[in-house]
Amino acid sequence: MDKARLRIGVIGTGAIGGFYGLMLARAGFDVHFLLRSEFAAVHENGLQVNSAVHGELRLDGVQAYADAADMPPCDWLLVGAKTTSNAALAPLIAQAAAPGAKVVLLQNGLEVEAQVQPLLPASLHLLGGLCFICVNRTAPGVVRHQALGAVNLGYHSGPADDGLALAEEGAALFRAAGIESQAMPNLAQARWQKLVWNVPYNGLSVLLRASTTPLMNDEASRALIQALMAEVVAGARACGHELPAGYAEHLFAITENMPDYWPSMYHDFSERRPLELAAIYAAPLARARQVGCALPRMEALYQALAFIDRH
């Protein structure tokens, strides 16, 4: 792997894009960052990650851009922006992509690739990235990393004859930066697996105004989390995706041992940004409904969150 010749672009340099982009740049990759409101701060002060795992990390002299048209053509593009802006992101991705570029959506939810794929040139490869990490932005260009960090990749669409091999190529980039990563043979199933955590904890953090520790310490919320997890597993199964035995219990146990964490949806809510309800709730509910599977607790949570989001 020739790190110097491989050019990586980050579209959306928030918590996710900032963390993974900084790690890749520190590992010697040629990384270019697209920013909006935080461009001036990052251009002047660089990027900083305050990590409980890696210590305090800084990246000075960041190759930062306020306009995708100014970016050099990138071989890999990591999209760390929220799913709520995907339609607007497609032209930026096309502008920053080298011919045959690989585009990785580091986003939560189901069928996010299907939303973006029709808007991109057919020559691009589209992959999904599942991030298992506790991270949030604390100030312009400053990211707090509390725990975990793995990112798994799955191939969605494009001209590749062997999508799994291309996903493995992407996973190797992250591993070269010291990040646990693996290729996933079934992207749709991998996204359902991520929903097992995202559905209860993201939604309940907003609805109950509670982070993970109080949610795990209360008998009623613990039971609700487990019931929601079981519904997601049932929805996945109804859609033809048999998740690993004990997977929900595994995630539940991991969360019990995590540092107290405010999920990303709570940060969106507290900063009055649109909530990612379509990708995390509406899409899986619709998919389950198509095969005759009702998910009543998840539906109720979605309806409550939709009310909050509208008001």
Side-chain angles (χ1 to χ4, degrees):
M1 181 189 304
D2 190 342
K3 295 180 181 178
R5 294 187 62 184
L6 195 66
R7 187 176 289 142
I8 300 172
V10 177
I11 306 291
T13 309
I16 291 292
F19 174 81
Y20 290 114
L22 180 145
M23 293 294 287
L24 288 161
R26 284 174 55 87
F29 289 101
D30 182 20
V31 184
H32 300 258
F33 298 83
L34 180 67
L35 303 107
R36 293 180 182 174
S37 60
E38 299 187 5
F39 168 76
V42 172
H43 180 70
E44 182 176 345
N45 302 317
L47 283 169
Q48 179 175 328
V49 170
N50 300 318
S51 172
V53 179
H54 306 288
E56 184 175 308
L57 308 176
R58 288 197 58 84
L59 181 64
D60 297 315
V62 175
Q63 299 183 107
Y65 307 84
D67 190 331
D70 296 331
M71 295 178 70
C74 295
D75 306 297
W76 285 84
L77 285 168
L78 309 181
V79 180
K82 297 290 185 178
T83 58
T84 50
S85 61
N86 274 357
L89 287 174
L92 307 181
I93 294 170
Q95 279 185 305
K102 298 85 175 177
V103 180
V104 184
L105 302 185
L106 299 176
Q107 297 178 324
N108 289 324
L110 196 66
E111 299 179 356
V112 293
E113 294 82 14
Q115 179 189 12
V116 174
Q117 187 268 336
L119 307 175
L120 295 179
S123 60
L124 300 185
H125 302 273
L126 187 59
L127 300 91
L130 292 305
C131 305
F132 298 87
I133 187 169
C134 297
V135 66
N136 67 282
R137 186 186 64 84
T138 57
V142 182
V143 176
R144 179 191 184 201
H145 173 222
Q146 292 177 261
L148 307 175
V151 55
N152 297 333
L153 272 62
Y155 192 80
H156 178 267
S157 55
D161 294 326
D162 188 347
L164 183 60
L166 202 58
E168 173 56 37
E169 183 182 332
L173 301 182
F174 287 101
R175 291 196 297 268
I179 297 164
E180 181 184 345
S181 184
Q182 60 180 309
M184 305 295 287
N186 187 329
L187 178 59
Q189 176 166 319
R191 287 207 167 277
W192 273 104
Q193 287 181 213
K194 185 76 188 298
L195 286 169
V196 175
W197 195 94
N198 277 325
V199 165
Y201 291 102
N202 269 291
L204 292 179
S205 72
V206 174
L207 191 63
L208 302 180
R209 312 292 197 270
S211 53
T212 54
T213 296
L215 286 173
M216 297 300 285
N217 287 342
D218 183 88
E219 183 178 344
S221 55
R222 283 173 66 90
L224 182 53
I225 289 165
Q226 290 173 314
L228 284 163
M229 284 183 159
E231 277 199 356
V232 177
V233 171
R237 183 182 301 117
C239 293
H241 305 296
E242 192 67 40
L243 303 193
Y247 185 74
E249 292 78 5
H250 170 67
L251 291 185
F252 193 80
I254 285 178
T255 309
E256 281 200 299
N257 295 313
M258 275 179 11
D260 189 31
Y261 178 62
W262 287 98
S264 60
M265 188 171 287
Y266 181 82
H267 290 288
D268 290 337
F269 163 73
S270 65
E271 295 178 29
R272 296 183 177 273
R273 294 191 296 257
L275 305 183
E276 293 185 286
L277 302 183
I280 297 177
Y281 295 96
L285 282 168
R287 179 64 67 183
R289 199 178 299 118
Q290 287 172 357
V291 296
C293 178
L295 306 175
R297 290 182 180 84
M298 184 175 168
E299 183 80 50
L301 179 56
Y302 170 53
Q303 290 169 341
L305 292 168
F307 177 88
I308 291 171
D309 195 42
R310 285 192 298 271
H311 292 83

